[in-house]
Amino acid sequence: MTTLRDWLIDDSPASPMQARLGRFYRIFGALMRNPLAVVGAIIIAALVLTALFAPWLATHDPLRQSLGERLLPPSAAHWMGTDELGRDIWSRVVYGARITLAIVTLVAVLAAPAGLVIGVVAGYFGGWVDRILMGITDIFLSLPKLILALAFVAALGPGIENAIIAIAITSWPGYARVARAETLTFKNSEFISAVRLLGASSLRVNLGHVLPLCTSSMIIRVTLDMAGIILTAAGLGFIGLGAQPPLPEWGAMISRGRSFILDQWWVATMPGFAIILVSLGFCFLGDGLRDVLDPKSGEQR
């Protein structure tokens, strides 16, 4: 009797759906054999669940001030202590997960597709199109990402929306470079030539064949970049150009806690620990995805 596993790993799938499900099954199995990738996936899943169930996980109102309870150390009543305004740090860290998740999601949605399209167009058409698009890309890459983000936020004005736009503007060049390199490796391959001989237009070739082939590398790059995006967002919040008070953004919480770092260490340490933990989670998961999705790797077999 054929089991579900045998059906998924069949070397001769009977349908495209079976082939796709079999590939996902192999990828999932390879990830499960990577301990660091499992740890990273657990951390990211915890971040998502924390953001979704923040009202139930938080023990206090993250915006409620109580000067009579200011700068209390961690205790049973306040698991991570309180800040200079008596707000519960645990509750603010929990609600801050929503802001962090929103930033990384929106930056990925804005920057990755833009960089993917620009890189594919540049690599596929070449010539003056490639020179112009990659020239613009090189200009952005030549500037430090954080400094460029600071310049855009300063021009647009402080705020979480403008911070997301600024980070997205500074993030797309890396994706464009990866997509261009991937496109150059197979744009003259036999299967692309066969598609052209069948009368497919350049638009159909790119949308139906080139873009999907770049997706794996793009997923890896996006996942690995999430840690840098979180740190950039925290840096903008730290200097007051990101999420504005009283929003519980982790970088802004660290900025307010630096005045008490010697005596009330928990005010800045707790949100800082959250940033480190989530950044490590994305790094671990990104490394695992790179091992699994890399076509040169044997992990999928």
Side-chain angles (χ1 to χ4, degrees):
M1 179 179 179
T2 302
T3 63
L4 177 61
R5 182 180 181 277
D6 294 334
W7 183 79
L8 289 171
I9 64 175
D10 191 347
D11 291 332
S12 301
S15 65
M17 180 188 298
Q18 182 181 356
R20 286 193 294 267
L21 292 176
R23 183 170 185 269
F24 290 147
Y25 178 79
R26 291 184 177 90
I27 291 174
F28 180 78
L31 281 176
M32 291 298 101
R33 291 192 294 270
N34 187 327
L36 289 181
V38 173
V39 172
I42 292 173
I43 293 174
I44 304 308
L47 173 68
V48 175
L49 293 176
T50 301
L52 291 175
F53 298 102
W56 294 273
L57 295 175
T59 56
H60 297 75
D61 183 346
L63 304 181
R64 186 182 69 83
Q65 302 179 16
S66 178
L67 296 180
E69 299 179 327
R70 64 188 303 270
L71 299 176
L72 294 178
S75 63
H78 301 281
W79 298 346
M80 291 184 176
T82 61
D83 62 10
E84 75 281 7
L85 297 177
R87 296 173 297 194
D88 183 69
I89 295 178
W90 161 256
S91 300
R92 291 180 64 78
V93 168
V94 167
Y95 273 88
R98 287 186 165 185
I99 298 177
T100 299
L101 187 62
I103 290 173
V104 297
T105 301
L106 291 175
V107 169
V109 169
L110 293 173
L116 178 62
V117 171
I118 291 173
V120 167
V121 170
Y124 183 82
F125 292 101
W128 64 269
V129 175
D130 184 25
R131 288 192 293 272
I132 292 176
L133 293 178
M134 287 301 102
I136 297 173
T137 302
D138 290 338
I139 292 174
F140 277 86
L141 288 174
S142 65
L143 301 172
K145 183 180 292 187
L146 181 58
I147 302 301
L148 192 58
L150 287 173
F152 279 112
V153 173
L156 297 172
I160 182 110
E161 298 85 0
N162 292 338
I164 292 172
I165 295 173
I167 297 173
I169 291 174
T170 60
S171 299
W172 69 264
Y175 306 135
R177 275 294 180 185
V178 171
R180 176 181 180 271
E182 287 284 317
T183 303
L184 290 175
T185 60
F186 49 70
K187 76 170 186 177
N188 294 321
S189 58
E190 293 183 357
F191 74 94
I192 294 293
S193 299
V195 173
R196 291 198 198 100
L197 289 174
L198 291 173
S201 63
S202 297
L203 180 62
R204 183 174 179 180
V205 170
N206 282 294
L207 291 179
H209 301 278
V210 179
L211 284 174
L213 288 171
C214 297
T215 302
S216 296
S217 298
M218 198 59 53
I219 292 173
I220 297 169
R221 180 62 186 263
V222 168
T223 307
L224 290 173
D225 281 355
M226 288 298 102
I229 291 171
I230 292 172
L231 294 176
T232 301
L236 293 176
F238 184 85
I239 61 178
L241 295 177
Q244 298 299 294
L247 290 177
E249 197 274 324
W250 293 343
M253 293 172 64
I254 295 175
S255 177
R256 288 189 293 270
R258 59 182 172 174
S259 303
F260 316 99
I261 191 64
L262 296 180
D263 298 321
Q264 290 81 27
W265 52 268
W266 56 89
V267 180
T269 301
M270 296 306 181
F273 179 74
I275 292 174
I276 293 173
L277 184 64
V278 174
S279 299
L280 282 176
F282 278 112
C283 288
F284 290 158
L285 182 59
D287 285 338
L289 288 174
R290 180 177 56 193
D291 294 339
V292 172
L293 297 178
D294 187 356
K296 299 182 181 64
S297 174
E299 291 292 328
Q300 295 184 42
R301 300 192 184 100

